[in-house]
Amino acid sequence: MQFGIFSVSDVTTDPTTGRTPDDTERVRSMMAIAQHADEAGLDVFATGEHHNPPFVASSPTTMLGYLAGTTKNIVLSTATTLITTNDPVKIAEDYAMLQIIADGRMDLMMGRGNTGPVYPWFGKDIRQGINLALENYALLRRLWEEDVVDWQGKFRTPLQGFTATPRPLDGVPPFVWHGSIRSPEIAEQAAYYGDGFFHNNIFWPTSHTQRMVQYYRQRFEHYGHGSADQAIVGLGGQFFARKNSQDAWNEFRPYFDNAPVYGHGPSMEEFTTETPLTVGSPQQIIDRYAAMREHVGDYQRQLFLIDHAGLPLKTVLEQIDILAEEIVPALRAEMEPKRPAHVPADPPSHAERAAAARADGAAHQAHVAGDDRWTGKSAEDGVVAPSAASGR
C-alpha cells in the first residue's frame, strides 16, 4: 500500500507568530517538503492545482518536473488536475512530457476543484462542470491512446488529423485517478474506464466515504475490470501528531481555529469526531487509519494533508518524519497481512502497465498469425492486418 502526502498549497498566516510567508517562500517550502518526503521513504507526493489566492500551485507540471530531477523514488502526482477548465490537448501533452521526464514515476488525479470562479476565468460555465469532466476526459484518453485523432464535441474546437506530442512513455498513458468528494458521476467515470478513484474525504464523515467507494467498486465490477474488491481506491486524510496527545492538541489548536479552510466553524473536538482529522499520539493516528479498511475495504493509496493552516516548515518536516518512521510502518504491519492475495497492494506502476501492454500486443500478433494460418497465408505472403496497417 502506498502512503504519502498532498499539499493544497495554501498561503496562510501562522497564528502563533503573525507571520505570513510570501508566494516564493511557500513554493520553495513545498519543494523542500516533497524532497524530505522522498528522503524519509514515503511513497507519494501530490500537489493540488489552483489559480487564485491564497494558493500558489498554479502549474503542477512545472513543480513536479523539477522534483522529478531532484528526488529518487517518490511517485509524483497531482491532487487535482482541473479537467473541467484545462484544455485536454494541453493536459495530454504536459503530462506525457512529465511522464517522460520522471521516467514513469508519476500519475495524476482528475478533478473539478473547489473554486467556482475558476470556470469563467477560463471561459467555462460551472453549470456544465460534470459534462465538461466527462467530455474532456474522453478526448484526453483518445489523445494519449491514438496517434492521429479526429474529434468533435461540445466544449472546444474540433480536431482533424491531430497528434499530441510527445507520445506517452513506452506508448502507455499515465495512470489516472478520478477525485471526487460528492459526485457519483465521477465515480461512475472512474469505474467505466477502469481507472483509480480517490475520495478526498478530509471534510466528510466516514459513512459518506463508505457509500461513494462502495458505489465505485460496484460499477468497476459491472464494467468488467475485475471484482469489486480489486478496484483501485485512494483516500485523503489529515493528522497532527506529537509523542504526547495533549501536546499535539495544544500545539495544533491555534492553527485549526484560525485556518480559512475550517476555522471559525465546528470545534476541533467536533471536527476530529466527524471527519478523518486526527490529532494526538502516533498510536492514535495508527488506530484511526487502520480502521479505514473496515469501512472501505482494502485500498491502495492513503495521502495525508499536513502542510496547511500556516504550519511552519520545520513543524511540517517533523510531521513527515513521524509519519514515515512511526505511523506508516505500523499501518502496513496492521493492514497488509489482512489483504487477500487477489487484491492489488498498490496502484499499477508504469512498468506493470507497460508490461501488460506488451503482453496484449504479443497476444494480438499471435491472434493475427492464427488468422493467417487459418486462411492458409503467412506474414511472408505480405498479409498485414488492417488494424496494424492503419496504425490503430
Side-chain angles (χ1 to χ4, degrees):
M1 183 172 174
Q2 292 181 339
F3 291 92
I5 59 174
F6 71 98
S7 176
V8 295
S9 78
D10 61 308
V11 178
T12 303
T13 300
D14 184 334
T16 68
T17 65
R19 183 178 181 277
T20 306
D22 62 21
D23 289 359
T24 298
E25 180 181 345
R26 185 66 173 102
V27 169
R28 290 174 176 169
S29 292
M30 289 177 65
M31 294 189 292
I33 288 164
Q35 290 161 345
H36 191 76
D38 181 52
E39 293 164 359
L42 295 181
D43 301 307
V44 184
F45 171 79
T47 174
E49 178 185 349
H50 296 275
H51 298 276
N52 57 292
F55 306 100
V56 296
S58 60
S59 181
T61 52
T62 304
M63 176 174 287
L64 296 179
Y66 172 82
L67 290 172
T70 59
T71 59
K72 295 181 179 179
N73 300 306
I74 200 163
V75 173
L76 304 168
S77 184
T78 56
T80 307
T81 295
L82 296 176
I83 187 64
T84 46
T85 52
N86 281 314
D87 184 350
V89 172
K90 195 70 168 71
I91 295 176
E93 296 189 331
D94 282 352
Y95 285 93
M97 179 71 79
L98 176 61
Q99 185 193 36
I100 293 169
I101 292 171
D103 196 25
R105 185 165 49 94
M106 58 78 66
D107 54 35
L108 69 161
M109 187 189 308
M110 302 298 173
R112 291 179 293 141
N114 60 3
T115 306
V118 74
Y119 285 83
W121 293 341
F122 288 87
K124 306 299 180 183
D125 184 346
I126 193 172
R127 294 169 296 183
Q128 296 292 335
I130 292 292
N131 292 330
L132 279 162
L134 298 177
E135 180 177 295
N136 284 354
Y137 185 63
L139 173 55
L140 175 62
R141 292 275 299 213
R142 290 191 59 190
L143 291 166
W144 274 335
E145 294 173 355
E146 300 176 25
D147 289 338
V148 180
V149 174
D150 294 323
W151 178 89
Q152 184 169 350
K154 181 179 179 181
F155 297 109
R156 78 173 316 279
T157 53
L159 298 172
Q160 293 188 2
F162 182 79
T163 298
T165 61
R167 304 307 298 147
L169 179 66
D170 300 321
V172 178
F175 183 74
V176 170
W177 301 81
H178 298 260
S180 180
I181 300 172
R182 59 188 179 274
S183 301
E185 296 93 338
I186 302 303
E188 179 83 20
Q189 182 183 41
Y192 175 80
Y193 288 105
D195 295 337
F197 178 65
F198 191 91
H199 193 263
N200 197 6
N201 54 321
I202 57 176
F203 299 126
W204 291 78
T206 304
S207 58
H208 175 74
T209 302
Q210 183 180 37
R211 288 193 296 272
M212 288 290 288
V213 172
Q214 285 181 344
Y215 177 75
Y216 160 69
R217 290 188 183 280
Q218 292 166 359
R219 301 304 291 170
F220 181 93
E221 183 172 297
H222 168 80
Y223 287 115
H225 300 297
S227 59
D229 59 356
Q230 293 176 314
I232 306 300
V233 173
L235 298 182
Q238 299 180 85
F239 76 89
F240 188 85
R242 290 301 186 197
K243 182 177 181 180
N244 179 279
S245 176
Q246 193 58 53
D247 289 343
W249 277 78
N250 292 339
E251 184 176 351
F252 189 66
R253 188 180 293 278
Y255 295 96
F256 178 91
D257 289 345
N258 290 278
V261 292
Y262 46 39
H264 316 292
S267 68
M268 195 161 78
E269 287 80 2
E270 292 169 324
F271 203 88
T272 54
T273 298
E274 295 297 325
T275 78
L277 174 63
T278 308
V279 180
S281 68
Q283 189 59 52
Q284 288 174 306
I285 283 83
I286 293 163
D287 292 342
R288 184 81 179 277
Y289 282 90
M292 287 294 176
R293 67 178 300 277
E294 299 174 9
H295 303 285
V296 303
D298 293 286
Y299 60 111
Q300 287 72 34
R301 177 176 286 183
Q302 174 69 62
L303 300 184
F304 295 99
L305 174 62
I306 58 174
D307 74 327
H308 60 126
L311 288 166
L313 177 59
K314 177 177 179 294
T315 300
V316 175
L317 300 184
E318 291 168 351
Q319 294 297 301
I320 289 172
D321 289 337
I322 293 170
L323 177 62
E325 295 169 10
E326 301 183 55
I327 296 172
V328 167
L331 284 174
R332 282 207 172 100
E334 173 70 22
M335 299 170 77
E336 289 309 306
K338 300 174 182 177
R339 186 186 301 272
H342 70 282
V343 175
D346 299 312
S349 67
H350 175 78
E352 291 169 338
R353 300 178 75 233
R358 287 193 296 270
D360 287 345
H364 174 74
Q365 292 300 320
H367 175 72
V368 170
D371 287 346
D372 290 342
R373 288 191 294 272
W374 183 78
T375 59
K377 298 179 181 179
S378 67
E380 286 78 7
D381 296 323
V383 177
V384 181
S387 60
S390 64
R392 297 179 182 175

